Amino acid sequence: MEDVNIKITDRDGVIHDIVAPTDMAMNLMEVVRSYELAPEGTIGVCGGMAMCASCQCYVLSKTELPEMGDDEEAMLSEAFDVKDNSRLGCQIQITPEMEGLEVELAPES
Ligand code: FES
């Protein structure tokens, strides 16, 4: 079992140092929810289907992330507050490669 350290800045600008498991098939949105870093109902609205953008986050570290899928790209092209480093948290699986990842949650839209 391997855990990774992730820094997540919440929507109030508070930085949280999180330890996330890599062996539970969790994605970043689920990690945010399990640590209650965003109020219930404001993140993960579509259940992780790349259909709501409530899990949008900005990637601050140089961490190598998996390529965006078509669904993610399409959703982000319609979402608000999108930046060059925007990703959908629900599309990012927690793997050992995520060690040191730093993200900031996008504002609620
Ligand atoms: S939870 Fe809806 S797009 Fe990620």
Side-chain angles (χ1 to χ4, degrees):
M1 190 176 104
E2 217 179 328
D3 291 338
V4 289
N5 296 287
I6 298 178
K7 258 191 216 311
I8 302 175
T9 305
D10 68 21
R11 292 175 180 143
D12 297 321
V14 180
I15 300 173
H16 303 265
D17 285 300
I18 296 296
V19 177
T22 59
D23 61 347
M24 287 177 66
M26 279 179 108
N27 62 52
L28 190 57
M29 174 274 282
E30 291 167 330
V31 170
V32 171
R33 284 174 65 122
S34 67
Y35 278 92
E36 299 180 356
L37 303 183
E40 192 62 44
T42 68
I43 186 160
V45 175
C46 74
M49 307 288 289
M51 287 172 67
C52 72
S54 67
C55 64
Q56 184 191 170
C57 57
Y58 307 125
V59 179
L60 308 177
S61 56
K62 296 263 175 276
T63 314
E64 194 87 32
L65 295 176
E67 293 277 314
M68 258 193 227
D70 292 344
D71 294 348
E72 182 176 3
E73 214 165 311
M75 187 63 243
L76 281 173
S77 70
E78 296 172 12
F80 297 104
D81 302 306
V82 175
K83 301 184 190 177
D84 286 348
N85 58 349
S86 287
R87 292 294 301 257
L88 294 179
C90 69
Q91 301 302 302
I92 297 175
Q93 291 295 322
I94 304 299
T95 63
E97 288 75 40
M98 302 298 137
E99 172 62 34
L101 177 66
E102 294 179 31
V103 299
E104 180 183 353
L105 300 185
E108 199 185 335
S109 54

